[in-house]
Amino acid sequence: EVRTLSFDKNGLRTKIGKKSGNVSWQEIESITDSESTIVISRKNLNAFLVPQRAFQSDQERASVLSAIRAWMDLTNK
């Protein structure tokens, strides 16, 4: 099934079918931006891979990545 991720200042939410969960930014180790994938690595060594096709445009991708990094910075202060 398709996984849906959504992001806000508190962390990310994930949903697959009827299953859902929340991950706080405090549980995230790093955010890596490769050419075609955003890798959100958790401290438990799991990761979310967000492909380019998840975004409607390069601008949307850049905006989401910027927001995620800002929320991570706020959490880690």
Side-chain angles (χ1 to χ4, degrees):
E1 294 187 45
V2 173
R3 176 186 297 265
T4 302
L5 293 175
S6 55
F7 310 96
D8 66 22
K9 65 180 180 176
N10 299 312
L12 62 88
R13 289 177 305 286
T14 179
K15 183 175 180 185
I16 302 174
K18 294 181 180 180
K19 295 181 182 181
S20 63
N22 297 309
V23 179
S24 73
W25 294 123
Q26 294 168 336
E27 297 175 67
I28 302 298
E29 180 70 29
S30 65
I31 307 293
T32 306
D33 181 17
S34 74
E35 193 171 303
S36 60
T37 306
I38 296 172
V39 180
I40 303 171
S41 301
R42 295 180 64 180
K43 291 180 180 175
N44 70 1
L45 304 180
N46 287 328
F48 296 101
L49 306 177
V50 186
Q52 181 69 35
R53 69 179 183 273
F55 303 98
Q56 293 182 3
S57 67
D58 289 342
Q59 282 182 307
E60 180 186 30
R61 183 181 188 277
S63 177
V64 168
L65 187 57
S66 177
I68 289 171
R69 287 184 168 152
W71 292 321
M72 284 284 299
D73 286 345
L74 288 173
T75 300
N76 292 324
K77 287 187 175 183

